[in-house]
PDB file of all heavy atoms in Angstrom:
ATOM      1  N   VAL A 262     -11.449 -31.798  12.377  1.00 49.00           N
ATOM      2  CA  VAL A 262     -11.775 -30.403  12.111  1.00 49.00           C
ATOM      3  C   VAL A 262     -13.278 -30.171  11.991  1.00 49.00           C
ATOM      4  O   VAL A 262     -13.810 -29.138  12.373  1.00 49.00           O
ATOM      5  CB  VAL A 262     -11.007 -29.916  10.863  1.00 49.00           C
ATOM      6  CG1 VAL A 262     -11.549 -30.562   9.609  1.00 49.00           C
ATOM      7  CG2 VAL A 262     -11.038 -28.417  10.764  1.00 49.00           C
ATOM      8  N   ALA A 271     -17.675 -20.911   7.885  1.00 89.00           N
ATOM      9  CA  ALA A 271     -17.669 -21.696   6.666  1.00 89.00           C
ATOM     10  C   ALA A 271     -16.233 -22.073   6.337  1.00 89.00           C
ATOM     11  O   ALA A 271     -15.301 -21.385   6.730  1.00 89.00           O
ATOM     12  CB  ALA A 271     -18.258 -20.869   5.533  1.00 89.00           C
ATOM     13  N   VAL A 272     -16.065 -23.205   5.638  1.00 90.00           N
ATOM     14  CA  VAL A 272     -14.727 -23.615   5.229  1.00 90.00           C
ATOM     15  C   VAL A 272     -14.620 -23.426   3.719  1.00 90.00           C
ATOM     16  O   VAL A 272     -15.494 -23.864   2.963  1.00 90.00           O
ATOM     17  CB  VAL A 272     -14.476 -25.097   5.574  1.00 90.00           C
ATOM     18  CG1 VAL A 272     -13.086 -25.496   5.123  1.00 90.00           C
ATOM     19  CG2 VAL A 272     -14.626 -25.319   7.057  1.00 90.00           C
ATOM     20  N   THR A 274     -13.583 -24.311   0.247  1.00 91.00           N
ATOM     21  CA  THR A 274     -13.168 -25.573  -0.367  1.00 91.00           C
ATOM     22  C   THR A 274     -12.642 -25.404  -1.788  1.00 91.00           C
ATOM     23  O   THR A 274     -12.028 -26.304  -2.331  1.00 91.00           O
ATOM     24  CB  THR A 274     -14.320 -26.595  -0.380  1.00 91.00           C
ATOM     25  OG1 THR A 274     -15.537 -25.922  -0.693  1.00 91.00           O
ATOM     26  CG2 THR A 274     -14.441 -27.279   0.955  1.00 91.00           C
ATOM     27  N   ASP A 276     -10.962 -22.038  -4.088  1.00 89.00           N
ATOM     28  CA  ASP A 276     -10.773 -20.601  -4.280  1.00 89.00           C
ATOM     29  C   ASP A 276      -9.393 -20.364  -4.867  1.00 89.00           C
ATOM     30  O   ASP A 276      -8.543 -21.256  -4.876  1.00 89.00           O
ATOM     31  CB  ASP A 276     -10.918 -19.864  -2.939  1.00 89.00           C
ATOM     32  CG  ASP A 276     -11.118 -18.358  -3.138  1.00 89.00           C
ATOM     33  OD1 ASP A 276     -11.395 -17.956  -4.274  1.00 89.00           O
ATOM     34  OD2 ASP A 276     -10.986 -17.614  -2.160  1.00 89.00           O
ATOM     35  N   VAL A 283       1.828  -7.224  -1.674  1.00 89.00           N
ATOM     36  CA  VAL A 283       2.000  -6.453  -2.900  1.00 89.00           C
ATOM     37  C   VAL A 283       2.935  -5.269  -2.648  1.00 89.00           C
ATOM     38  O   VAL A 283       3.852  -5.010  -3.411  1.00 89.00           O
ATOM     39  CB  VAL A 283       0.630  -5.947  -3.409  1.00 89.00           C
ATOM     40  CG1 VAL A 283       0.805  -5.137  -4.681  1.00 89.00           C
ATOM     41  CG2 VAL A 283      -0.293  -7.129  -3.659  1.00 89.00           C
ATOM     42  N   ILE A 287      10.293  -2.745  -0.396  1.00 93.00           N
ATOM     43  CA  ILE A 287      10.689  -1.566  -1.187  1.00 93.00           C
ATOM     44  C   ILE A 287       9.931  -0.337  -0.672  1.00 93.00           C
ATOM     45  O   ILE A 287      10.493   0.754  -0.533  1.00 93.00           O
ATOM     46  CB  ILE A 287      10.378  -1.784  -2.684  1.00 93.00           C
ATOM     47  CG1 ILE A 287      11.286  -2.882  -3.240  1.00 93.00           C
ATOM     48  CG2 ILE A 287      10.579  -0.501  -3.478  1.00 93.00           C
ATOM     49  CD1 ILE A 287      11.017  -3.233  -4.687  1.00 93.00           C
ATOM     50  N   HIS A 344       5.492  -0.890 -11.526  1.00 90.00           N
ATOM     51  CA  HIS A 344       5.641  -1.920 -12.550  1.00 90.00           C
ATOM     52  C   HIS A 344       5.932  -1.311 -13.912  1.00 90.00           C
ATOM     53  O   HIS A 344       6.417  -1.991 -14.816  1.00 90.00           O
ATOM     54  CB  HIS A 344       4.379  -2.774 -12.602  1.00 90.00           C
ATOM     55  CG  HIS A 344       4.314  -3.759 -11.475  1.00 90.00           C
ATOM     56  ND1 HIS A 344       3.924  -3.402 -10.213  1.00 90.00           N
ATOM     57  CD2 HIS A 344       4.624  -5.066 -11.410  1.00 90.00           C
ATOM     58  CE1 HIS A 344       3.993  -4.457  -9.429  1.00 90.00           C
ATOM     59  NE2 HIS A 344       4.412  -5.472 -10.124  1.00 90.00           N
ATOM     60  N   GLN A 345       5.599  -0.032 -14.068  1.00 92.00           N
ATOM     61  CA  GLN A 345       5.903   0.682 -15.311  1.00 92.00           C
ATOM     62  C   GLN A 345       6.654   1.955 -14.928  1.00 92.00           C
ATOM     63  O   GLN A 345       6.102   3.055 -14.961  1.00 92.00           O
ATOM     64  CB  GLN A 345       4.598   1.028 -16.050  1.00 92.00           C
ATOM     65  CG  GLN A 345       3.841  -0.154 -16.586  1.00 92.00           C
ATOM     66  CD  GLN A 345       4.507  -0.764 -17.809  1.00 92.00           C
ATOM     67  OE1 GLN A 345       5.445  -0.189 -18.365  1.00 92.00           O
ATOM     68  NE2 GLN A 345       4.036  -1.924 -18.235  1.00 92.00           N
ATOM     69  N   TYR A 347       8.808   4.004 -16.226  1.00 94.00           N
ATOM     70  CA  TYR A 347       8.912   5.187 -17.091  1.00 94.00           C
ATOM     71  C   TYR A 347       7.618   5.985 -17.134  1.00 94.00           C
ATOM     72  O   TYR A 347       7.610   7.147 -17.511  1.00 94.00           O
ATOM     73  CB  TYR A 347       9.326   4.782 -18.510  1.00 94.00           C
ATOM     74  CG  TYR A 347      10.725   4.215 -18.549  1.00 94.00           C
ATOM     75  CD1 TYR A 347      10.955   2.888 -18.882  1.00 94.00           C
ATOM     76  CD2 TYR A 347      11.811   5.020 -18.226  1.00 94.00           C
ATOM     77  CE1 TYR A 347      12.235   2.376 -18.893  1.00 94.00           C
ATOM     78  CE2 TYR A 347      13.091   4.513 -18.234  1.00 94.00           C
ATOM     79  CZ  TYR A 347      13.304   3.189 -18.566  1.00 94.00           C
ATOM     80  OH  TYR A 347      14.569   2.682 -18.554  1.00 94.00           O
ATOM     81  N   ARG A 348       6.531   5.322 -16.763  1.00 95.00           N
ATOM     82  CA  ARG A 348       5.249   6.039 -16.809  1.00 95.00           C
ATOM     83  C   ARG A 348       5.044   6.919 -15.580  1.00 95.00           C
ATOM     84  O   ARG A 348       4.010   7.545 -15.443  1.00 95.00           O
ATOM     85  CB  ARG A 348       4.103   5.044 -16.933  1.00 95.00           C
ATOM     86  CG  ARG A 348       4.090   4.320 -18.261  1.00 95.00           C
ATOM     87  CD  ARG A 348       2.778   3.599 -18.439  1.00 95.00           C
ATOM     88  NE  ARG A 348       2.854   2.637 -19.500  1.00 95.00           N
ATOM     89  CZ  ARG A 348       1.954   1.692 -19.697  1.00 95.00           C
ATOM     90  NH1 ARG A 348       0.924   1.601 -18.876  1.00 95.00           N
ATOM     91  NH2 ARG A 348       2.069   0.841 -20.684  1.00 95.00           N
ATOM     92  N   HIS A 357      -4.099  13.113 -10.987  1.00 98.00           N
ATOM     93  CA  HIS A 357      -5.458  12.896 -10.488  1.00 98.00           C
ATOM     94  C   HIS A 357      -5.439  13.359  -9.038  1.00 98.00           C
ATOM     95  O   HIS A 357      -4.911  12.666  -8.165  1.00 98.00           O
ATOM     96  CB  HIS A 357      -5.820  11.410 -10.599  1.00 98.00           C
ATOM     97  CG  HIS A 357      -7.238  11.119 -10.237  1.00 98.00           C
ATOM     98  ND1 HIS A 357      -7.603   9.966  -9.590  1.00 98.00           N
ATOM     99  CD2 HIS A 357      -8.371  11.831 -10.436  1.00 98.00           C
ATOM    100  CE1 HIS A 357      -8.921   9.984  -9.405  1.00 98.00           C
ATOM    101  NE2 HIS A 357      -9.403  11.083  -9.900  1.00 98.00           N
ATOM    102  N   SER A 360      -6.030  11.674  -5.496  1.00 97.00           N
ATOM    103  CA  SER A 360      -5.105  10.643  -5.031  1.00 97.00           C
ATOM    104  C   SER A 360      -3.972  11.256  -4.205  1.00 97.00           C
ATOM    105  O   SER A 360      -3.270  12.163  -4.664  1.00 97.00           O
ATOM    106  CB  SER A 360      -4.504   9.903  -6.223  1.00 97.00           C
ATOM    107  OG  SER A 360      -3.450   9.087  -5.781  1.00 97.00           O
ATOM    108  N   GLU A 438      -7.598  -2.195   6.833  1.00 88.00           N
ATOM    109  CA  GLU A 438      -8.226  -1.483   7.951  1.00 88.00           C
ATOM    110  C   GLU A 438      -7.239  -1.106   9.055  1.00 88.00           C
ATOM    111  O   GLU A 438      -7.521  -0.245   9.869  1.00 88.00           O
ATOM    112  CB  GLU A 438      -9.334  -2.342   8.553  1.00 88.00           C
ATOM    113  CG  GLU A 438     -10.585  -2.392   7.705  1.00 88.00           C
ATOM    114  CD  GLU A 438     -11.491  -1.202   7.955  1.00 88.00           C
ATOM    115  OE1 GLU A 438     -11.331  -0.548   8.991  1.00 88.00           O
ATOM    116  OE2 GLU A 438     -12.344  -0.933   7.102  1.00 88.00           O
TER     117      GLU A 438
ATOM    118  N   ARG B 276     -14.314 -14.951 -10.227  1.00 95.00           N
ATOM    119  CA  ARG B 276     -14.088 -16.310  -9.773  1.00 95.00           C
ATOM    120  C   ARG B 276     -15.308 -16.759  -8.986  1.00 95.00           C
ATOM    121  O   ARG B 276     -16.038 -15.937  -8.433  1.00 95.00           O
ATOM    122  CB  ARG B 276     -12.835 -16.408  -8.912  1.00 95.00           C
ATOM    123  CG  ARG B 276     -12.995 -15.806  -7.538  1.00 95.00           C
ATOM    124  CD  ARG B 276     -11.658 -15.846  -6.821  1.00 95.00           C
ATOM    125  NE  ARG B 276     -11.809 -15.879  -5.377  1.00 95.00           N
ATOM    126  CZ  ARG B 276     -11.705 -14.799  -4.604  1.00 95.00           C
ATOM    127  NH1 ARG B 276     -11.521 -13.604  -5.149  1.00 95.00           N
ATOM    128  NH2 ARG B 276     -11.802 -14.918  -3.294  1.00 95.00           N
ATOM    129  N   ASP B 281     -17.991 -24.558   2.218  1.00 93.00           N
ATOM    130  CA  ASP B 281     -18.810 -25.612   2.821  1.00 93.00           C
ATOM    131  C   ASP B 281     -19.323 -25.122   4.159  1.00 93.00           C
ATOM    132  O   ASP B 281     -18.575 -24.547   4.954  1.00 93.00           O
ATOM    133  CB  ASP B 281     -17.984 -26.889   3.007  1.00 93.00           C
ATOM    134  CG  ASP B 281     -17.767 -27.605   1.683  1.00 93.00           C
ATOM    135  OD1 ASP B 281     -18.132 -27.020   0.635  1.00 93.00           O
ATOM    136  OD2 ASP B 281     -17.237 -28.733   1.700  1.00 93.00           O
ATOM    137  N   ILE B 308      -7.781   6.550  -5.484  1.00 98.00           N
ATOM    138  CA  ILE B 308      -6.341   6.470  -5.166  1.00 98.00           C
ATOM    139  C   ILE B 308      -5.484   6.455  -6.436  1.00 98.00           C
ATOM    140  O   ILE B 308      -4.281   6.731  -6.357  1.00 98.00           O
ATOM    141  CB  ILE B 308      -6.039   5.226  -4.293  1.00 98.00           C
ATOM    142  CG1 ILE B 308      -4.751   5.437  -3.476  1.00 98.00           C
ATOM    143  CG2 ILE B 308      -5.916   3.974  -5.132  1.00 98.00           C
ATOM    144  CD1 ILE B 308      -4.462   4.352  -2.468  1.00 98.00           C
ATOM    145  N   CYS B 309      -6.065   6.155  -7.569  1.00 98.00           N
ATOM    146  CA  CYS B 309      -5.256   6.035  -8.791  1.00 98.00           C
ATOM    147  C   CYS B 309      -4.639   7.400  -9.136  1.00 98.00           C
ATOM    148  O   CYS B 309      -5.355   8.359  -9.399  1.00 98.00           O
ATOM    149  CB  CYS B 309      -6.097   5.539  -9.951  1.00 98.00           C
ATOM    150  SG  CYS B 309      -5.117   5.405 -11.458  1.00 98.00           S
ATOM    151  N   SER B 326      -5.212   0.668 -19.356  1.00 94.00           N
ATOM    152  CA  SER B 326      -3.928   0.066 -18.976  1.00 94.00           C
ATOM    153  C   SER B 326      -2.760   0.784 -19.646  1.00 94.00           C
ATOM    154  O   SER B 326      -1.620   0.660 -19.202  1.00 94.00           O
ATOM    155  CB  SER B 326      -3.908  -1.430 -19.292  1.00 94.00           C
ATOM    156  OG  SER B 326      -4.139  -1.615 -20.648  1.00 94.00           O
ATOM    157  N   CYS B 329      -1.744   3.291 -16.924  1.00 97.00           N
ATOM    158  CA  CYS B 329      -1.409   2.770 -15.590  1.00 97.00           C
ATOM    159  C   CYS B 329       0.103   2.728 -15.373  1.00 97.00           C
ATOM    160  O   CYS B 329       0.854   2.277 -16.228  1.00 97.00           O
ATOM    161  CB  CYS B 329      -1.993   1.366 -15.446  1.00 97.00           C
ATOM    162  SG  CYS B 329      -1.436   0.494 -14.000  1.00 97.00           S
ATOM    163  N   THR B 350       1.221  -7.499 -19.138  1.00 85.00           N
ATOM    164  CA  THR B 350       1.388  -6.069 -19.431  1.00 85.00           C
ATOM    165  C   THR B 350       2.017  -5.307 -18.272  1.00 85.00           C
ATOM    166  O   THR B 350       2.384  -4.142 -18.422  1.00 85.00           O
ATOM    167  CB  THR B 350       0.027  -5.412 -19.726  1.00 85.00           C
ATOM    168  OG1 THR B 350      -0.792  -5.545 -18.548  1.00 85.00           O
ATOM    169  CG2 THR B 350      -0.672  -6.083 -20.892  1.00 85.00           C
ATOM    170  N   LYS B 410     -17.975  -0.494   4.213  1.00 94.00           N
ATOM    171  CA  LYS B 410     -16.885   0.260   3.573  1.00 94.00           C
ATOM    172  C   LYS B 410     -17.397   1.492   2.828  1.00 94.00           C
ATOM    173  O   LYS B 410     -16.585   2.240   2.251  1.00 94.00           O
ATOM    174  CB  LYS B 410     -16.134  -0.640   2.585  1.00 94.00           C
ATOM    175  CG  LYS B 410     -15.450  -1.835   3.219  1.00 94.00           C
ATOM    176  CD  LYS B 410     -14.140  -1.432   3.830  1.00 94.00           C
ATOM    177  CE  LYS B 410     -13.373  -2.651   4.295  1.00 94.00           C
ATOM    178  NZ  LYS B 410     -12.079  -2.298   4.866  1.00 94.00           N
ATOM    179  N   GLN B 432     -13.018 -20.057   7.067  1.00 86.00           N
ATOM    180  CA  GLN B 432     -11.722 -20.613   7.455  1.00 86.00           C
ATOM    181  C   GLN B 432     -11.087 -21.224   6.223  1.00 86.00           C
ATOM    182  O   GLN B 432     -11.768 -21.851   5.420  1.00 86.00           O
ATOM    183  CB  GLN B 432     -11.915 -21.680   8.523  1.00 86.00           C
ATOM    184  CG  GLN B 432     -12.460 -21.109   9.808  1.00 86.00           C
ATOM    185  CD  GLN B 432     -12.346 -22.099  10.951  1.00 86.00           C
ATOM    186  OE1 GLN B 432     -11.530 -23.001  10.922  1.00 86.00           O
ATOM    187  NE2 GLN B 432     -13.183 -21.920  11.957  1.00 86.00           N
ATOM    188  N   TYR B 437      -8.500 -29.191   3.148  1.00 81.00           N
ATOM    189  CA  TYR B 437      -9.958 -29.248   2.975  1.00 81.00           C
ATOM    190  C   TYR B 437     -10.404 -28.578   1.678  1.00 81.00           C
ATOM    191  O   TYR B 437     -11.569 -28.294   1.482  1.00 81.00           O
ATOM    192  CB  TYR B 437     -10.659 -28.638   4.193  1.00 81.00           C
ATOM    193  CG  TYR B 437     -10.662 -29.644   5.312  1.00 81.00           C
ATOM    194  CD1 TYR B 437      -9.525 -29.854   6.084  1.00 81.00           C
ATOM    195  CD2 TYR B 437     -11.772 -30.450   5.538  1.00 81.00           C
ATOM    196  CE1 TYR B 437      -9.492 -30.816   7.061  1.00 81.00           C
ATOM    197  CE2 TYR B 437     -11.753 -31.417   6.519  1.00 81.00           C
ATOM    198  CZ  TYR B 437     -10.609 -31.595   7.284  1.00 81.00           C
ATOM    199  OH  TYR B 437     -10.577 -32.561   8.247  1.00 81.00           O
ATOM    200  N   LEU B 439     -10.820 -28.683  -2.496  1.00 84.00           N
ATOM    201  CA  LEU B 439     -10.998 -29.692  -3.534  1.00 84.00           C
ATOM    202  C   LEU B 439      -9.656 -29.960  -4.204  1.00 84.00           C
ATOM    203  O   LEU B 439      -9.354 -31.071  -4.607  1.00 84.00           O
ATOM    204  CB  LEU B 439     -12.010 -29.203  -4.564  1.00 84.00           C
ATOM    205  CG  LEU B 439     -13.442 -29.057  -4.046  1.00 84.00           C
ATOM    206  CD1 LEU B 439     -14.351 -28.537  -5.141  1.00 84.00           C
ATOM    207  CD2 LEU B 439     -13.966 -30.374  -3.501  1.00 84.00           C
ATOM    208  N   VAL B 449       4.181 -10.360  -8.021  1.00 55.00           N
ATOM    209  CA  VAL B 449       2.978  -9.650  -8.417  1.00 55.00           C
ATOM    210  C   VAL B 449       3.276  -9.017  -9.752  1.00 55.00           C
ATOM    211  O   VAL B 449       4.159  -8.185  -9.872  1.00 55.00           O
ATOM    212  CB  VAL B 449       2.625  -8.562  -7.391  1.00 55.00           C
ATOM    213  CG1 VAL B 449       1.368  -7.830  -7.820  1.00 55.00           C
ATOM    214  CG2 VAL B 449       2.420  -9.208  -6.038  1.00 55.00           C
ATOM    215  N   PHE B 460      13.004  -1.592 -16.320  1.00 82.00           N
ATOM    216  CA  PHE B 460      13.662  -0.404 -16.881  1.00 82.00           C
ATOM    217  C   PHE B 460      14.219  -0.671 -18.272  1.00 82.00           C
ATOM    218  O   PHE B 460      14.253   0.208 -19.115  1.00 82.00           O
ATOM    219  CB  PHE B 460      14.800   0.045 -15.950  1.00 82.00           C
ATOM    220  CG  PHE B 460      14.314   0.720 -14.694  1.00 82.00           C
ATOM    221  CD1 PHE B 460      14.028  -0.015 -13.554  1.00 82.00           C
ATOM    222  CD2 PHE B 460      14.110   2.094 -14.666  1.00 82.00           C
ATOM    223  CE1 PHE B 460      13.563   0.602 -12.390  1.00 82.00           C
ATOM    224  CE2 PHE B 460      13.642   2.720 -13.511  1.00 82.00           C
ATOM    225  CZ  PHE B 460      13.377   1.970 -12.383  1.00 82.00           C
ATOM    226  N   GLY B 489       5.022 -10.975  -2.504  1.00 38.00           N
ATOM    227  CA  GLY B 489       4.911 -10.463  -3.858  1.00 38.00           C
ATOM    228  C   GLY B 489       6.280 -10.163  -4.447  1.00 38.00           C
ATOM    229  O   GLY B 489       6.501 -10.336  -5.620  1.00 38.00           O
ATOM    230  N   HIS B 491       7.990  -7.543  -5.209  1.00 36.00           N
ATOM    231  CA  HIS B 491       8.122  -6.682  -6.381  1.00 36.00           C
ATOM    232  C   HIS B 491       8.850  -5.388  -6.051  1.00 36.00           C
ATOM    233  O   HIS B 491       9.619  -5.350  -5.124  1.00 36.00           O
ATOM    234  CB  HIS B 491       6.784  -6.425  -7.023  1.00 36.00           C
ATOM    235  CG  HIS B 491       5.964  -5.375  -6.361  1.00 36.00           C
ATOM    236  ND1 HIS B 491       5.062  -4.609  -7.041  1.00 36.00           N
ATOM    237  CD2 HIS B 491       5.884  -4.975  -5.089  1.00 36.00           C
ATOM    238  CE1 HIS B 491       4.477  -3.795  -6.221  1.00 36.00           C
ATOM    239  NE2 HIS B 491       4.942  -3.988  -5.047  1.00 36.00           N
TER     240      HIS B 491
END
Side-chain angles (χ1 to χ4, degrees):
Chain A
V262 70
V272 179
T274 40
D276 196 14
V283 180
I287 293 177
H344 283 79
Q345 293 286 350
Y347 294 114
R348 293 193 195 166
H357 186 215
S360 170
E438 285 276 342
Chain B
R276 73 185 206 262
D281 285 8
I308 204 173
C309 180
S326 58
C329 170
T350 61
K410 298 280 188 179
Q432 295 193 23
Y437 281 78
L439 293 179
V449 180
F460 286 89
H491 80 151

